[in-house]
Amino acid sequence: MQGLHLTADLYQCTGDLSIFVDENALAALCRQQTELSGLTIVGDKWVTFPEYQGEPGGVTGAVLLAESHLAIHTWPERGGVTLDVYVCNFSDDNSGKAQQLLDGIIAAFNPTQIQRNQLIRGDQDAPSEPELLWENLNPNSVYGFRFTRRLLSKQTAFQQLELLESADLGKTLRLDGCLMTAEKEEFFYHEGLIHPAAMAHPNPRHALILGGGDGGALEELLKHKSIESATLVDIDGDVIAVSKEHLLSINKGALDSPRANVVVGDGAQFVKETEQKFDLVFLDLTDPETPAGPLYTPAFFQDCKKVLAEGGAMVIHLGAPFYEPEQITRLSSELNSVFKHVNAYGLHIPLYGAYWAMAVVSDHLQPAQLGVEQVQQRLVEREIDDLQYYNSAVHGALFALPNYYQKLLPR
Ligand code: SAM
């Protein structure tokens, strides 16, 4: 039986005293948060302890859930609380609901310090019902994959992080319910994002990746021998830590390379404050409707332009032209208001369920003008011979756009 067990020990809480000492107040809070989380209450029991040596007694209680239980104990004299939530994930994945319940109760106690732990229970190697997970392409269309194992489920400071495993994809990273990268198909996206611009630049030495905490784009970039420093700025340190531990087959340890400078922070702020210049800037971010939203605006594109060295270029992914035509048109015309050349291209990305648009934007660089021989020569000079998607013939093909996509772009 697979399940997720979450515990939290709260110290020096500054929440309302009533929830420490009054079983009715605590019961009301726990019932309300359980209902908000979408878990199902089947019973509950509460006991208030008597006063002891002039100090009020605490409360112990449990909520029985159809999915398992919530148990809580308060220590008013110390401002402390112990909390545990267990959900089984037999017929449904209740992990997100359990996280929400725990977070709601923690917020009410307002602790100064928290110690959290989680245990994924059950035999992870035992065959289990595959989980069929869907992802939206737009409000009308969805696609999905079957995952046979759930390796990790964790609420970070910024997003819900999951590691899943499927036969076709291998280990797969999902953030806030959106598929990010997967062991067996990451080469489509990461090679597609990095090499068209990096190969077109005659001598890229300093590069910046915003987002990309999985390290896959960084690994591709470091294949270019001329790169002396690659700075990666991801807002979520947990994505970086989990990727270093579990996604080595994607990043091959690039996050620890001596040429890599890994920063945990907001990409928009980094670009505003840095005095460095970069030959190439890659936006390897979550989609516009996520914490990365402010990084898909003309003001931010302008800030990126300021950090580009002479002859430099920025690379961005734009979405799926068939499913998100308005987004492609909006982003490409905003980019065109800042950069002289918007070199749009595209490729099919299995994990994103669609043909996907990207663009190299620059006042100078025009990668589509690089011929097959020139790409081949640079691949040889740079000793890059371990690619699974990109090659000298594919380079030009990436920039050959179908008519429906061309029509979405600025003339
Ligand atoms: N290839 C992926 C995709 O398009 O689905 C992107 C993968 S990468 C893991 C996306 C990263 O962007 C995440 O690790 C997330 O933490 C990071 N991110 C989101 N907003 C950010 C911001 N404002 N600054 C820096 N990184 C950010």
Side-chain angles (χ1 to χ4, degrees):
M1 188 68 65
Q2 309 232 337
L4 178 66
H5 202 146
L6 302 172
T7 66
D9 301 313
L10 317 186
Y11 301 95
Q12 296 143 39
C13 299
T14 57
D16 191 321
L17 181 65
S18 67
I19 53 178
F20 286 89
V21 296
D22 174 353
E23 65 190 59
N24 293 320
L26 183 61
L29 166 72
C30 293
R31 288 193 205 111
Q32 181 206 31
Q33 290 300 327
T34 308
E35 279 159 15
L36 281 174
S37 73
L39 293 166
T40 325
I41 301 176
V42 293
D44 57 345
K45 172 84 183 162
W46 304 92
V47 174
T48 307
F49 292 103
E51 237 185 66
Y52 180 68
Q53 295 183 341
E55 296 277 1
V59 179
T60 189
V63 179
L64 292 182
L65 305 173
E67 297 83 0
S68 197
H69 70 262
L70 153 70
I72 186 164
H73 196 104
T74 69
W75 275 272
E77 71 282 15
R78 298 190 206 167
V81 178
T82 59
L83 190 51
D84 85 71
V85 176
Y86 176 61
V87 289
C88 68
N89 286 332
F90 179 60
S91 49
D92 234 337
D93 176 18
N94 294 305
S95 309
K97 294 177 182 173
Q99 293 281 3
Q100 186 183 331
L101 172 56
L102 195 81
D103 290 344
I105 295 175
I106 291 174
F109 281 101
N110 200 21
T112 309
Q113 206 189 324
I114 310 180
Q115 193 177 354
R116 285 172 181 261
N117 275 300
Q118 74 163 24
L119 182 66
I120 297 176
R121 287 171 57 175
D123 178 0
Q124 299 303 308
D125 293 322
S128 58
E129 277 297 300
E131 263 185 87
L132 177 56
L133 296 182
W134 303 102
E135 181 155 341
N136 293 327
L137 288 158
N138 65 22
N140 314 312
S141 300
V142 291
Y143 68 103
F145 299 97
R146 281 185 213 287
F147 292 95
T148 47
R149 282 209 315 166
R150 175 170 286 275
L151 305 168
L152 191 66
S153 196
K154 176 185 171 110
Q155 179 62 46
T156 75
F158 295 94
Q159 49 214 342
Q160 177 70 25
L161 184 160
E162 295 163 279
L163 261 190
L164 306 154
E165 189 159 20
S166 103
D168 285 348
L169 302 171
K171 279 190 220 154
T172 304
L173 174 68
R174 221 163 71 120
L175 295 177
D176 278 345
C178 296
L179 295 161
M180 291 288 130
T181 190
E183 281 180 317
K184 295 190 187 174
E185 68 74 68
E186 57 89 27
F187 63 87
F188 287 85
Y189 175 82
H190 290 133
E191 291 186 19
L193 182 75
I194 298 295
H195 297 302
M199 204 58 74
H201 195 293
N203 186 28
R205 291 169 55 219
H206 303 288
L208 173 65
I209 298 173
L210 300 177
D214 52 74
L218 181 65
E219 195 256 335
E220 293 303 329
L221 183 61
L222 293 178
K223 289 180 181 171
H224 293 260
K225 289 195 301 182
S226 60
I227 295 287
E228 293 168 22
S229 78
T231 302
L232 179 146
V233 184
D234 196 296
I235 202 164
D236 196 337
D238 280 324
V239 174
I240 297 170
V242 164
S243 303
K244 277 189 182 186
E245 189 180 343
H246 297 279
L247 299 178
L248 273 173
S249 66
I250 293 180
N251 57 57
K252 317 265 181 0
L255 291 159
D256 290 317
S257 160
R259 289 189 289 155
N261 168 29
V262 176
V263 178
V264 176
D266 175 29
Q269 198 181 339
F270 180 89
V271 165
K272 253 194 194 343
E273 291 172 2
T274 186
E275 286 176 3
Q276 274 179 274
K277 295 276 183 200
F278 301 93
D279 300 304
L280 296 169
V281 174
F282 297 91
L283 307 192
D284 186 9
L285 294 161
T286 44
D287 290 344
E289 61 284 353
T290 69
L295 286 75
Y296 288 93
T297 57
F300 175 70
F301 300 151
Q302 199 71 55
D303 288 342
C304 286
K305 185 169 173 166
K306 290 197 197 114
V307 304
L308 280 183
E310 182 77 26
M314 177 174 100
V315 184
I316 177 171
H317 64 112
L318 304 171
F322 181 71
Y323 296 103
E324 303 168 296
E326 291 88 8
Q327 179 172 303
I328 307 289
T329 298
R330 177 180 64 78
L331 286 174
S332 58
S333 77
E334 287 175 358
L335 287 162
N336 207 208
S337 69
V338 176
F339 295 93
K340 195 163 156 197
H341 307 294
V342 175
N343 305 275
Y345 64 103
L347 71 162
H348 175 77
I349 300 184
L351 192 65
Y352 304 163
Y355 172 83
W356 206 253
M358 299 191 178
V360 179
V361 296
S362 172
D363 281 348
H364 305 271
L365 216 60
Q366 295 194 68
Q369 292 182 352
L370 210 66
V372 179
E373 287 77 23
Q374 222 176 342
V375 176
Q376 189 54 40
Q377 190 186 339
R378 286 189 180 171
L379 279 168
V380 172
E381 280 166 7
R382 297 180 190 186
E383 297 172 28
I384 301 177
D385 57 6
D386 56 349
L387 302 178
Q388 297 182 75
Y389 191 90
Y390 180 90
N391 60 37
S392 53
V394 159
H395 180 93
L398 288 168
F399 292 91
L401 305 187
N403 295 346
Y404 81 95
Y405 177 12
Q406 279 183 29
K407 282 190 188 142
L408 304 176
L409 301 170
R411 296 210 167 255

